[in-house]
Amino acid sequence: VMTAVLCPASAGAAPPAANDVRSYLQDEMRDRGIPGLQLAVVKGGKIVMLESYGLAELPHAIPVTRRSVFSINSATKSFTGVAIMQLAEQGKLDLSAPVSRYLEDLPAPWQAVTVTELLNHTSGLPDIVSQQSWQVGPASSWDAAWRQVRAMPMDFAPGERFRYNQTNYLLLGKIIDRVSGQPFARFIGQRQFDVAGMRHTSYGDLQDVIPHRAPSYRRDADGKTMKLMVDDFPAFLRAGAGINASAEDLANWIIALRNGKLLSPAGLAQLWRRGHLRTGQDAPWPLAWPRTRAGESRAVPGIGGARSAFFVYPDHDLAVVILTNLAGAQPEQMIDVVASHFLPGLKKVSGGYAIYRLRRHAQARGFSGLDEQLARLARAGHASPSEGELNDWGYRLLRGGRPAQAVAVLGLAARLYPDSYNAHDSLAEGFEAAGEPAPAGRHYRRSLGLNAGNTHATERLRILAPQ
């Protein structure tokens, strides 16, 4: 089922770009294999597009509606950041203070970490969630995992560098509990969900009964079989991931944020401003929001689990929310393209539109003319696609059993980014899948020349050597 419903909440008539946006999203859903998707576009402080596509739940073919709610995963951190800033604006919290001012019984090396360093992932704390398995561990229980992580050494000195880390948000949740006098989920519910009119938003995971929840899916190793995604967000980690929301609710939250109902303008500006490491370099993240795009068409994103995302374009009073129920859908790659229909200048700074045009060209005329099509787009002033966007497209083709087409796309990435070891490594994988060991070996060797520590290339060359 591929439905698109312009909801009655949309302000007035559909914008002129609506049909183009619908066509684009439906193409993306087919290409990425996304079962269900919600879209909300905010312009001028109003929701101007609010749409639902596809299936929320596969076994019973239940369609996505405006009331469907999706897991936003780590985009939850943006709400935690707002909560911390609200407490700071009330004078109850100092962002530059050490966490030991608010939490007792912390390991000695943790005590000098500041609240800001928790927010922007520069704390150096050991991570309670494994970066390999994305599971809490290696302990057999949450309490045991908490004891274990407290005994682990610091990854680096506080403020020295960036490392994404769930322990940071566990501690921020504890700080909100202590400073606000109530559990962080209740505080955020009262001070953000209720104020913004987020009627369908709540905390929870697959073990909770959540009305209208669209369960998340993932593709199995064969690239085709759909499996249920087991979301497991224990209560004490839900300051970092755990909110389920609709696109409409998130749009209303963004409107409330921009209208000063949640924070003062100065507080919001501070939340979105990148700080500095203790070395004097810029910190990659602002406070609880991922890396921003600076300069022309500035964007502030919230991204979760490669399945939910929202971008705010503060200088253009524009925001786009895309929620999906497929892990790996990467809606963050789609948002600039949707936004470019309302902000044409984005095509000059974001490569998403170029990827879309390249894909349309390939669908209509094949993959042999990608370089020429990209040159035409460049002459028209469009930004080049990023290495990551091309890489993701190429691997979708590989998983779909189309290695020759994947080689064409990954080859374009290697030509655009010739000094990237990963681009050559990916192209080599494409050649291997296409049954061409000689060019695969050449590009693995090229990758190793750029990064001698690329163990994947070393291992593949060892396997290819007898040929």
Side-chain angles (χ1 to χ4, degrees):
V1 176
M2 186 73 71
T3 58
V5 180
L6 186 64
C7 298
S10 298
N19 286 335
D20 290 338
V21 170
R22 291 184 191 115
S23 176
Y24 167 70
L25 289 176
Q26 289 170 344
D27 280 349
E28 289 295 310
M29 289 179 72
R30 281 188 290 269
D31 184 68
R32 297 170 188 259
I34 299 170
L37 181 149
Q38 279 181 339
L39 166 75
V41 179
V42 175
K43 181 68 176 169
K46 297 180 180 179
I47 299 175
V48 296
M49 283 190 76
L50 185 58
E51 307 221 358
S52 303
Y53 304 82
L55 297 178
E57 196 252 26
L58 292 178
H60 300 98
I62 297 173
V64 179
T65 71
R66 63 184 289 180
R67 298 178 69 185
S68 300
V69 298
F70 296 76
S71 172
I72 69 168
N73 289 72
S74 288
T76 298
K77 292 177 173 66
S78 299
F79 286 79
T80 299
V82 171
I84 290 288
M85 187 61 72
Q86 287 175 330
L87 292 169
E89 290 198 327
Q90 293 173 29
K92 296 181 177 180
L93 187 68
D94 181 351
L95 298 180
S96 63
V99 294
S100 56
R101 180 179 299 180
Y102 307 106
L103 299 177
E104 300 170 355
D105 193 30
L106 291 175
W110 296 23
Q111 294 179 14
V113 172
T114 68
V115 176
T116 290
E117 287 163 349
L118 298 179
L119 286 165
N120 66 13
H121 295 290
T122 61
S123 68
L125 296 176
D127 198 345
I128 194 169
V129 174
S130 166
Q131 295 294 309
Q132 285 73 43
S133 66
W134 295 106
Q135 300 294 318
V136 171
S140 58
S141 71
W142 305 121
D143 288 344
W146 178 231
R147 288 195 299 270
Q148 284 192 9
V149 77
R150 288 164 53 89
M152 292 168 65
M154 297 285 283
D155 288 343
F156 50 84
E160 186 179 86
R161 57 183 186 268
F162 171 90
R163 184 171 184 264
Y164 188 74
N165 184 318
Q166 303 300 333
T167 307
N168 295 330
Y169 280 75
L170 185 158
L171 292 182
L172 288 167
K174 288 178 176 289
I175 289 172
I176 295 170
D177 293 349
R178 176 67 61 87
V179 174
S180 72
Q182 57 184 317
F184 70 81
R186 186 182 305 161
F187 179 77
I188 290 173
Q190 292 176 355
R191 294 295 305 274
Q192 296 185 59
F193 300 171
D194 293 348
V195 174
M198 303 174 73
R199 294 177 295 169
H200 304 298
T201 299
S202 63
Y203 283 86
D205 60 19
L206 196 61
Q207 300 181 54
D208 297 297
V209 177
I210 301 171
H212 309 292
R213 185 180 189 273
S216 292
Y217 301 94
R218 62 176 177 82
R219 296 203 178 276
D220 209 355
D222 63 9
K224 299 176 183 179
T225 307
M226 200 74 81
K227 298 284 190 178
L228 186 66
M229 192 79 181
V230 181
D231 286 329
D232 190 4
F233 303 130
F236 73 96
L237 282 178
R238 288 181 181 175
I243 288 177
N244 299 273
S246 67
E248 182 177 14
D249 276 2
L250 288 171
N252 284 327
W253 176 72
I254 291 168
I255 291 169
L257 198 58
R258 297 283 286 153
N259 286 348
K261 292 183 178 180
L262 304 179
L263 291 173
S264 70
L268 183 57
Q270 183 177 358
L271 193 71
W272 287 346
R273 186 167 54 244
R274 287 170 64 182
H276 301 282
L277 301 174
R278 295 190 187 185
T279 60
Q281 298 170 298
D282 286 342
W285 271 43
L287 303 183
W289 294 62
R291 183 192 306 269
T292 59
R293 182 174 62 228
E296 186 180 357
S297 303
R298 180 167 64 110
V300 186
I303 300 172
R307 50 183 137 156
S308 298
F310 47 84
F311 282 21
V312 181
Y313 303 86
D315 303 326
H316 301 280
D317 205 5
L318 175 69
V320 175
V321 180
I322 298 180
L323 308 181
T324 82
N325 56 354
L326 178 68
Q330 296 180 306
E332 60 272 19
Q333 296 179 352
M334 300 153 60
I335 288 181
D336 272 344
V337 182
V338 172
S340 70
H341 289 89
F342 301 86
L343 185 61
L346 266 177
K347 296 173 184 177
K348 300 177 182 178
V349 297
S350 171
Y353 183 77
I355 280 280
Y356 174 53
R357 290 289 300 274
L358 287 172
R359 276 219 337 271
R360 292 294 296 270
H361 172 87
Q363 290 165 1
R365 299 183 178 86
F367 286 76
S368 60
L370 294 181
D371 290 86
E372 293 80 1
Q373 176 65 6
L374 185 59
R376 283 192 289 271
L377 290 169
R379 288 193 293 272
H382 300 313
S384 291
S386 70
E387 178 191 344
E389 289 168 324
L390 288 166
N391 201 61
D392 290 338
W393 180 17
Y395 275 96
R396 286 200 302 274
L397 291 165
L398 277 180
R399 289 192 296 270
R402 304 174 70 189
Q405 292 84 352
V407 165
V409 172
L410 297 172
L412 177 61
R415 290 189 293 278
L416 273 179
Y417 301 95
D419 296 328
S420 166
Y421 84 91
N422 188 65
H424 290 280
D425 187 270
S426 297
L427 177 55
E429 279 199 72
F431 276 121
E432 268 203 272
E436 299 186 57
R442 284 199 302 272
H443 285 281
Y444 279 133
R445 286 190 288 273
R446 173 63 175 150
S447 179
L448 274 174
L450 292 164
N451 177 10
N454 182 2
T455 55
H456 177 260
T458 301
E459 178 60 28
R460 297 312 303 167
L461 281 170
R462 186 177 297 118
I463 292 170
L464 288 171
Q467 304 179 36

